[in-house]
């Protein structure tokens, strides 16, 4: 699974303060933690911080790029802002793969953002919603997903660069919607060949829930069985990442070995020195 | 009707491993042998490249065999009391590498000392200039004493040492690393264990790129298909990007094939089974050529007719594959 880090987000107070004060150290430390947890893409969201949003984005992207060459996801619900930010970040960091997070299946949004993605060679996340808002069922999610996919391909974006996000809602506010997300992934994967990638904003499922981490990792595993390819998560949540690896092993995505978590970290070139091997653990 | 494109898009490839060191590389070998590097399913040229075709290692034992079948005795009996002379014979027969077994160090097989084993290795190195594969006696307690000595005696020659297992990997990995050798990682017919052994060896600081894996071997009629399917699964995992399974493979074909009663039983059954002089080599050759198609990189062989036949088959596979 492609791990998008959710942590460099202005919704967190420390990140908001760091953006405001241009404090690189805080951003570097958070990004390092996410990378060491296995993050493949760093999602950047400036949150509700005051000042020039475009400047904030460029500073944040350049600051994270100082410690990693990994792709950066530019996260905003404002299409107008993304239209301005994406070309500028692409110009500042021409060798960095960008992901536009996100666009809806409403024509007004797609007309603005799909050409921007194509021009920057960026990936793009399409939400399975349109001008009528978040669908309450599976059918409308599939309809919006198909519309977005078709439009993106027509704009010259490769299926490899297209993510569909069936929109995760909190369990304490939206009953039955989680099941719809799983089913939408399953059905959209079935009808499209080659299928696009599927992504969810995982933490949405547990917003303001007491057992948020347990909810997150359980829902992630459910979505993985349906065909999920990516998720925006806290990569420093070890239990979450290990549940993901375990699900992938059980789904046959990785060859099993007794130390399969460690194997996953070795594959990704992550540090393993602090982790005891299974064998050592058994003999102690 | 056009056929659909069957080519896969692989993200991984098999490591290349070089065995032996020439004078300029700090050793005394006449040449080196490189295996691995495949970028697709074995021998399917449309799927990927096979830059280094399978190579042949010929068995040399440090002690006169007591149970080798007649067709093998006819070839080696005049040299098998002297490993150096035996290695010379192996070179004459066209070996790419010498596969030296230190069987005589086993407590029940003569219990030769680590120093004696080191002397044997030095004698073989002096007798022939081919790269060397060196195995212990498969008795872990003894191998832990013998292999470091042997590794030291062959320092600079970039040999391939065998074998590290799930239970015994630290000493031999440390010896291989200290004296600059490659290492065989062994897991008996179990792909999940194979990956685990590779993780454990990697934990010691030994590079995954310096490993050759040995899933053990089974001959025709004795479970060859299990080994074949392990080769297939391992290769598919490696090509899909599993770095822990991206090692070239060594298979001990000669030893396993000649253990089969169909190969070794003498001419008392010739009426029903045919003469052992044909039957034995055929058993070894069929096992070898099948396993090459599963992706074997180093084949340990015994009979001259098999060596010749397998050479031809490898050349044919390469010709049709290019």
């Amino acid at each position: 699974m492609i791990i998008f880090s959710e942590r460099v987000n202005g919704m967190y107070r420390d990140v908001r303060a760091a953006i405001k004060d241009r404090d690189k150290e805080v951003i570097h430390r958070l990004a390092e933690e996410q990378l060491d947890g296995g993050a493949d893409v760093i999602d950047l969201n400036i949150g509700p911080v005051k000042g020039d949003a475009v400047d904030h984005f460029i500073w944040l992207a350049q600051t994270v790029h100082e410690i990693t060459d990994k792709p950066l996801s530019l996260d905003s619900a404002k299409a107008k802002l993304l239209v301005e930010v994406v070309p500028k970040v692409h110009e500042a960091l021409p060798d960095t793969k960008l992901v536009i997070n996100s666009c809806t299946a409403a024509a007004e949004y797609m007309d603005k953002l799909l050409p921007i993605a194509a021009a920057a060679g960026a990936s793009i996340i399409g939400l399975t919603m349109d001008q009528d808002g978040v669908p309450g069922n599976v059918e409308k999610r599939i309809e919006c997903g198909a519309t977005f996919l078709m439009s993106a391909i027509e704009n010259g974006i490769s299926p490899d660069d297209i993510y569909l996000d069936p929109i995760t809602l909190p369990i304490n506010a939206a009953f039955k919607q989680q099941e719809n997300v799983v089913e939408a992934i399953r059905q959209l994967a079935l009808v499209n060949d080659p299928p696009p990638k599927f992504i969810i904003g995982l933490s949405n499922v547990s917003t303001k829930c007491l057992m948020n981490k347990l909810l997150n990792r359980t829902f992630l595993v459910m979505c993985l069985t349906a065909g999920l390819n990516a998720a925006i998560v806290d990569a420093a949540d070890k239990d979450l990442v290990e549940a993901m690896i375990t699900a992938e092993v059980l789904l046959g995505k990785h060859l099993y070995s007794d130390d399969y978590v460690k194997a996953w970290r070795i594959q990704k070139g992550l540090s393993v020195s602090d982790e005891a091997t299974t064998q050592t653990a058994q003999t102690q | 009707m056009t056929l659909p494109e069957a080519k896969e898009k692989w993200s991984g490839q098999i490591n290349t491993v070089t065995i032996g060191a020439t004078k300029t590389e700090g050793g005394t070998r006449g040449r080196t042998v490189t295996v691995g590097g495949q970028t697709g399913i074995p021998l399917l040229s449309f799927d990927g490249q096979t830059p280094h075709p399978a190579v042949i290692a010929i068995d040399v034992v440090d002690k006169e065999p007591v149970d080798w079948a007649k067709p093998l005795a006819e070839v080696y009996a005049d040299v098998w009391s002297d490993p150096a002379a035996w290695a010379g014979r192996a070179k004459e027969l066209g070996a790419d590498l010498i596969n030296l077994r230190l069987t005589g160090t086993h407590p029940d097989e003569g219990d030769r000392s680590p120093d004696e084993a080191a002397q044997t290795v030095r004698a073989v190195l002096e007798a022939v200039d081919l790269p060397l594969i060196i195995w212990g006696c498969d008795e872990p307690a003894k191998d832990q004493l013998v292999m470091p000595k042997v590794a030291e005696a062959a320092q600079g020659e970039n040999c391939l040492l065998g074998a590290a297992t799930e239970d015994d990997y630290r000493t031999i990995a440390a010896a291989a690393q200290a004296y600059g050798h490659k290492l065989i990682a062994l897991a008996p017919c179990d792909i999940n264990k194979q990956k685990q052994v590779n993780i454990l060896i990697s934990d010691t600081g030994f590079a995954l790129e310096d490993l050759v894996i040995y899933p053990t071997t089974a001959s025709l009629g004795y479970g060859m298909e299990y080994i074949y399917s392990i080769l297939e699964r391992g290769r598919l995992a490696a090509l899909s990007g599993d770095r822990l399974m991206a090692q070239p493979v060594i298979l001990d074909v000669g030893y396993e094939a000649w253990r089969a009663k169909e190969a070794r039983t003498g001419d008392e059954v010739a009426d029903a089974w045919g003469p052992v002089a044909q039957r034995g080599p055929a058993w070894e050759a069929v096992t070898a050529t099948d396993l090459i198609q599963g992706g074997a990189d180093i084949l340990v062989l015994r009979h001259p007719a098999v060596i010749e036949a397998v050479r031809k088959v490898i050349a044919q596979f390469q010709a049709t594959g290019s």
Side-chain angles (χ1 to χ4, degrees):
Chain A
M1 191 192 85
I2 303 163
I3 300 179
F4 281 59
S5 148
E6 68 173 13
R7 192 56 181 80
V8 185
N9 186 321
M11 296 300 285
Y12 290 99
R13 259 191 226 112
D14 53 354
V15 174
R16 202 183 313 157
I19 295 171
K20 185 169 147 280
D21 304 337
R22 292 293 189 260
D23 183 349
K24 286 183 172 181
E25 213 174 293
V26 172
I27 303 298
H28 284 172
R29 180 178 51 76
L30 288 170
E32 287 283 10
E33 278 172 15
Q34 296 293 304
L35 291 165
D36 188 58
D40 302 295
V41 180
I42 308 289
D43 186 75
L44 307 176
N45 186 319
I46 57 168
V49 66
K50 286 183 187 132
D52 186 330
V54 178
D55 276 355
H56 290 330
F57 250 123
I58 294 170
W59 177 79
L60 205 52
Q62 281 176 327
T63 302
V64 172
H65 182 69
E66 284 170 6
I67 60 154
T68 181
D69 293 328
K70 294 224 189 272
L72 302 176
S73 156
L74 306 174
D75 181 358
S76 172
K78 296 174 188 156
K80 220 178 117 192
L81 177 59
L82 288 174
V83 166
E84 209 176 332
V85 163
V86 173
K88 285 190 175 162
V89 174
H90 180 53
E91 196 190 331
L93 308 170
D95 298 328
T96 299
K97 180 83 181 178
L98 300 179
V99 185
I100 297 177
N101 180 17
S102 58
C103 178
T104 72
E108 178 197 349
Y109 278 75
M110 293 193 295
D111 290 348
K112 284 196 187 102
L113 287 170
L114 291 176
I116 294 282
S123 299
I124 186 161
I125 298 175
L127 302 173
T128 62
M129 62 178 280
D130 55 16
Q131 57 286 349
D132 302 332
V134 177
N137 57 26
V138 176
E139 293 73 21
K140 182 77 186 190
R141 282 182 163 88
I142 288 171
E143 188 191 316
C144 289
T147 303
F148 182 85
L149 184 58
M150 214 161 37
S151 307
I153 289 170
E154 276 168 12
N155 272 269
I157 299 170
S158 143
D160 267 357
D161 277 327
I162 303 169
Y163 291 86
L164 293 182
D165 179 344
I167 308 178
T168 303
L169 297 170
I171 184 64
N172 56 6
F175 175 64
K176 277 277 191 189
Q177 286 293 315
Q178 294 69 36
E179 196 185 322
N180 290 346
V181 166
V182 175
E183 195 50 33
I185 293 171
R186 203 185 300 280
Q187 293 191 25
L188 278 163
L190 263 181
V191 296
N192 293 293
D193 185 26
K197 296 194 176 90
F198 297 97
I199 187 167
I200 54 170
L202 182 66
S203 307
N204 288 350
V205 80
S206 64
T207 306
K208 292 186 179 163
C209 294
L210 187 61
M211 309 281 270
N212 57 340
K213 288 193 166 182
L214 180 58
L215 284 161
N216 288 349
R217 62 179 183 263
T218 305
F219 190 57
L220 181 64
V221 169
M222 289 167 63
C223 291
L224 282 168
T225 64
L228 188 77
N229 310 89
I232 308 172
V233 303
D234 178 6
D237 181 346
K238 199 161 167 270
D239 289 340
L240 173 85
V241 172
E242 291 185 357
M244 177 209 86
I245 299 166
T246 305
E248 289 191 335
V249 166
L250 291 169
L251 288 166
K253 310 254 184 212
H254 313 295
L255 187 62
Y256 173 81
S257 60
D258 285 341
D259 273 317
Y260 64 86
V261 170
K262 188 176 211 166
W264 182 86
R265 290 188 63 87
I266 292 172
Q267 305 276 12
K268 298 196 75 151
L270 300 171
S271 61
V272 289
S273 51
D274 57 330
E275 303 199 5
T277 67
T278 309
Q279 199 175 52
T280 315
Q282 280 168 357
T283 51
Q284 274 167 354
Chain B
M1 196 185 110
T2 53
L3 289 169
E5 176 73 85
K7 185 183 162 20
E8 297 280 347
K9 202 170 143 191
W10 302 113
S11 57
Q13 74 173 73
I14 306 306
N15 302 332
T16 53
V17 174
T18 296
I19 303 158
T22 59
K23 283 209 177 76
T24 53
E25 294 156 336
T28 60
R29 304 299 83 199
R31 60 188 172 84
T32 61
V33 167
T34 299
V35 293
Q38 297 91 329
T39 58
I41 292 172
L43 307 168
L44 296 188
S45 60
F46 65 84
D47 194 64
Q49 307 299 313
T50 305
H52 303 289
V55 297
I56 296 171
I58 298 183
D59 258 330
V60 171
V61 188
D62 71 339
K63 136 179 216 288
E64 196 174 313
V66 290
D67 56 352
W68 280 33
K70 195 163 158 258
L72 295 173
E74 282 166 2
V75 181
Y76 298 110
D78 61 326
V79 290
W80 69 20
S81 60
D82 175 7
W86 190 344
R89 173 69 46 83
K91 186 176 175 180
E92 285 163 27
L93 293 173
D96 296 308
L97 307 113
I98 300 296
N99 188 68
L100 178 61
R101 300 173 189 271
L102 299 171
T103 311
T105 61
H106 194 285
D108 302 335
E109 301 271 357
D111 203 19
R112 302 181 70 220
S113 71
D115 284 331
E116 286 172 293
Q119 271 171 28
T120 302
V121 168
R122 271 193 291 264
V124 170
L125 282 168
E126 278 164 27
V128 294
D129 62 355
L130 297 179
L132 226 59
I133 304 169
I134 310 170
W135 299 81
C137 66
D138 204 17
E139 166 62 42
K142 187 66 185 279
D143 283 348
Q144 283 181 20
L145 302 173
V146 169
M147 293 313 284
K149 279 276 180 200
V150 162
E152 187 184 1
Q155 183 167 16
E157 299 289 2
N158 189 24
C159 301
L160 177 61
L161 304 185
T165 65
E166 189 181 22
D167 295 325
D168 294 280
Y169 60 93
R170 291 179 201 277
T171 306
I172 193 165
Q177 188 154 26
Y179 298 109
H181 301 295
K182 303 296 194 290
L183 183 62
I184 297 170
L186 183 167
C189 199
D190 185 332
I191 194 162
N192 306 114
K193 280 268 183 276
Q194 184 75 67
K195 186 166 173 175
Q196 181 69 11
V197 174
N198 295 356
I199 293 169
L200 294 170
I201 294 170
S202 154
D203 264 357
T204 70
F206 196 89
L208 287 166
E209 293 72 23
D210 287 339
L211 282 181
V212 168
I213 54 181
Y214 175 44
T216 65
T217 308
S219 76
L220 175 66
Y222 293 84
M224 182 174 68
E225 53 277 32
Y226 291 97
I227 297 299
Y228 195 98
S229 82
I230 281 184
L231 294 179
E232 279 185 312
R233 285 184 63 198
R235 198 56 42 118
L236 290 174
L239 294 172
S240 304
D242 193 337
R243 285 205 314 123
L244 288 159
M245 294 304 293
Q247 294 76 19
V249 176
I250 182 169
L251 294 180
D252 198 2
V253 173
Y255 169 78
E256 288 296 335
W258 286 96
R259 270 172 33 145
K261 67 174 184 294
E262 291 84 349
R264 59 181 304 114
T265 308
D267 281 334
E268 61 272 24
V269 296
D271 285 350
W273 288 3
V276 65
Q278 285 176 9
R279 189 181 356 110
W283 213 264
E284 187 182 3
V286 170
T287 304
T289 49
D290 278 357
L291 292 172
I292 289 172
Q293 295 170 71
D297 296 280
I298 305 173
L299 297 148
V300 182
L301 300 177
R302 289 187 172 173
H303 197 275
V306 177
I307 293 156
E308 200 186 324
V310 168
R311 244 326 145 227
K312 264 189 210 158
V313 168
I314 293 170
Q316 280 168 2
F317 280 145
Q318 284 305 112
T320 47
S322 58

